[in-house]
Amino acid sequence: MKGYFYRLLHKYISLYCLSDNILMEISERKSPLESYFRGNYFNLKKDGLKDIKKADYVLLNGSLHYENDIQSYLENLSLHFQPKTRLMIVYYSSLWKPIVKLGTFLGLRSKTAEQNWISHEDMENFLLLSGFELVRNDQKVLLPIYIPLISNLINRYVAPLPLFKNLTLVNLSIAKLVYSEKKSPAKKPSVSIVVAARNEEGNIEEILRRIPKMGPHDELIFIEGHSKDKTWDKICSETKKYRGHLKIKNSQQDGKGKGDAVRKGFQMASNEILMILDADLTVPPEELPKFYKAIVEGKGEYINGSRLVYPMEKRAMRFFNILGNKFFAVAFSFVLGQRFKDTLCGTKVISRENYIQLSKNRKFFGDFDPFGDFDLIFGSARMGLKIVEVPIPYRERVYGDTNISRWRHGAILFAMLIFAARKIKFV
């Protein structure tokens, strides 16, 4: 029983703590997980907390059940955290208390002196009071003993479902330090704004004119995508005339699709913050400072636009597109464990540091994203980044036609969602 259960825990922890991350578990004795990890795993005792600053993840595996003062313990822990460090807490559902006691009585588990049975609401409150913010909470394991075929079926496919997840044994919470939210950095970071432009000749001048100043050395990167009109000529001519605050970089993409263009643009970027702005100007460039403020002030680490809050212009989004947006918002929220209202908005922001880490592990979700921003969503969720949506107005396209095929790209997106669900939800 123990071997199967801890193999499951190792699999769930490894989903977020990647092979090149440093994982430190705080335990007063030899951890049963120790034999399952290789390489960058360290077992700390309470008096070794000074080493936490080197960690990417700090693991508390059931240890909060034994703490007399959870708030004080977490407050002391927070003093040793860096902004990048994630706290991972494994705790067990109080619904299983009678079964756990029975298992102890029958000798199926070691006798322990659990004092605390913590609800989800209790855990979120403890984290808030002690200087942490809950990023996500997963509920796992309906059958902690191994029965061939049945255990895998139930724990992988049944346990994550909405009704059954409330009956699971294991809760796995990921939290971040509330550090940068209370003070902005002494030096304002600069932004690299990537615009993938295909058949957008009539919008290039407006983009250059309307992007506001955010950081001290902002840059705009145009990636042209084999246009049928004179988009490339327009980019070259307008950027030569430009005398504004932006540094301009231009290039033509090597492959096809917005995804290929965005990745090339991010490779060319040199600033601390990376932004995507759609060339159709349906999201006004004047809204970009809201995204900048959200990431600089630490409100979130991956910022996603939401077009479904404010009233939109009459022909900005067709009826079936709205239905598709709402469906994918619910589906993505379920699969990724963080709230999404508008997954299809093209305006997205992430730090360069986090993007580099994300891109190293892109193959985990497959390399077939034609849009260039959905692997950002999947990757950010897997990394435990705090995801925040910024509500924005959505305008009608003035020039040209959309490059998105509603049904074909919708089918691709659905396939990506199913693939991601098998990799991050039904594991």
Side-chain angles (χ1 to χ4, degrees):
M1 174 178 174
K2 288 182 180 179
Y4 172 69
F5 179 73
Y6 283 109
R7 284 197 301 273
L8 282 180
L9 272 187
H10 171 257
K11 180 169 68 172
Y12 300 143
I13 292 168
S14 298
L15 180 64
Y16 305 106
C17 185
L18 309 181
S19 59
D20 56 345
N21 291 153
I22 295 176
L23 173 65
M24 294 185 178
E25 180 179 358
I26 300 177
S27 176
E28 291 300 304
R29 50 190 175 181
K30 182 177 173 64
S31 168
L33 285 171
E34 195 166 340
S35 60
Y36 294 95
F37 284 98
R38 297 288 183 271
N40 297 331
Y41 171 88
F42 302 91
N43 193 327
L44 298 179
K45 296 186 181 297
K46 288 183 180 179
D47 57 0
L49 297 185
K50 63 181 183 298
D51 293 325
I52 283 178
K53 62 183 179 181
K54 304 174 185 176
D56 295 297
Y57 282 88
V58 173
L59 173 63
L60 304 178
N61 179 23
S63 58
L64 291 187
H65 289 290
Y66 311 109
E67 287 296 328
N68 293 320
D69 188 342
I70 294 175
Q71 181 178 339
S72 295
Y73 176 74
L74 292 176
E75 284 176 348
N76 181 52
L77 203 59
S78 72
L79 299 176
H80 304 276
F81 267 58
Q82 299 294 316
K84 69 161 188 172
T85 313
R86 292 294 179 266
L87 176 63
M88 186 179 290
I89 303 173
V90 175
Y91 62 105
Y92 302 99
S93 170
S94 58
L95 288 175
W96 283 72
K97 186 176 181 180
I99 301 173
V100 170
K101 285 189 173 182
L102 178 61
T104 303
F105 177 77
L106 296 174
L108 298 176
R109 67 185 295 272
S110 302
K111 186 175 182 179
T112 58
E114 285 100 342
Q115 299 177 6
N116 312 309
W117 290 89
I118 308 164
S119 69
H120 305 315
E121 294 78 12
D122 290 333
M123 179 56 68
E124 187 169 4
N125 195 48
F126 275 128
L127 290 168
L128 176 66
L129 291 171
S130 52
F132 290 96
E133 178 182 16
L134 183 68
V135 174
R136 64 176 297 138
N137 184 73
D138 281 340
Q139 294 156 275
K140 303 287 188 181
V141 187
L142 270 175
L143 188 59
I145 59 175
Y146 180 68
I147 302 174
L149 300 179
I150 294 176
S151 295
N152 181 63
L153 175 66
I154 291 177
N155 289 324
R156 184 171 186 179
Y157 296 107
V158 178
L161 297 177
L163 292 178
F164 292 97
K165 69 178 184 178
N166 295 324
L167 305 176
T168 53
L169 168 62
V170 175
N171 300 295
L172 194 156
S173 293
I174 299 175
K176 65 182 281 287
L177 190 67
V178 182
Y179 174 82
S180 54
E181 293 185 6
K182 294 185 178 179
K183 62 176 185 178
S184 298
K187 180 181 177 183
K188 290 183 67 176
S190 296
V191 180
S192 296
I193 306 160
V194 174
V195 176
R198 181 174 182 268
N199 300 327
E200 301 287 359
E201 177 187 353
N203 291 324
I204 303 304
E205 186 177 354
E206 281 289 289
I207 292 170
L208 287 164
R209 184 179 65 83
R210 292 172 57 185
I211 289 181
K213 184 177 177 61
M214 290 171 277
H217 307 292
D218 295 342
E219 63 182 5
L220 176 63
I221 303 171
F222 281 114
I223 305 295
E224 192 275 328
H226 315 297
S227 300
K228 295 180 181 178
D229 65 4
K230 296 182 178 180
T231 299
W232 177 242
D233 293 337
K234 190 69 171 177
I235 289 173
C236 294
S237 63
E238 289 298 325
T239 54
K240 283 181 181 178
K241 295 188 296 183
Y242 181 75
R243 296 292 182 270
H245 63 278
L246 295 165
K247 178 182 177 181
I248 310 296
K249 295 180 180 178
N250 303 334
S251 185
Q252 291 180 291
Q253 68 183 102
D254 306 305
K256 295 181 180 179
K258 181 183 173 184
D260 176 79
V262 167
R263 291 177 191 179
K264 181 166 186 176
F266 280 179
Q267 287 176 350
M268 294 170 58
S270 57
N271 287 330
E272 302 96 318
I273 297 174
L274 307 179
M275 288 187 176
I276 302 172
L277 175 67
D278 283 347
D280 59 12
L281 294 177
T282 52
V283 173
E286 291 83 2
E287 298 294 313
L288 293 180
K290 294 179 181 177
F291 293 79
Y292 179 79
K293 182 180 180 182
I295 197 167
V296 168
E297 294 183 355
K299 299 296 192 301
E301 295 162 304
Y302 172 74
I303 315 298
N304 195 78
S306 177
R307 304 163 295 174
L308 304 177
V309 176
Y310 300 121
M312 61 182 70
E313 293 185 351
K314 193 171 183 180
R315 293 193 297 171
M317 187 181 297
R318 291 176 289 181
F319 175 73
F320 284 107
N321 293 65
I322 295 175
L323 287 183
N325 268 281
K326 291 185 178 296
F327 165 77
F328 283 117
V330 173
F332 272 69
S333 298
F334 168 70
V335 168
L336 299 178
Q338 295 197 55
R339 177 184 179 273
F340 278 95
K341 190 177 179 71
D342 182 9
T343 58
L344 302 178
C345 179
T347 308
K348 303 177 188 296
V349 180
I350 190 171
S351 73
R352 178 183 174 84
E353 181 182 7
N354 281 328
Y355 176 75
I356 291 172
Q357 180 68 24
L358 183 152
S359 61
K360 290 179 182 177
N361 298 279
R362 177 173 282 131
K363 290 182 180 179
F364 180 82
F365 288 111
D367 196 5
F368 55 91
D369 174 12
F371 310 103
D373 41 21
F374 290 103
D375 68 344
L376 298 180
I377 294 177
F378 296 143
S380 296
R382 190 189 179 206
M383 289 169 62
L385 300 185
K386 175 65 176 177
I387 299 173
V388 170
E389 289 191 312
V390 173
I392 49 175
Y394 191 51
R395 306 301 188 200
E396 184 179 339
R397 174 188 272 273
V398 176
Y399 172 87
D401 298 312
T402 180
N403 292 307
I404 299 296
S405 170
R406 177 174 27 174
W407 303 110
R408 181 168 63 87
H409 286 139
I412 294 173
L413 178 56
F414 185 74
M416 291 169 57
L417 178 66
I418 297 299
F419 186 83
R422 293 180 64 246
K423 300 285 282 185
I424 200 171
K425 190 70 173 181
F426 298 101
V427 294

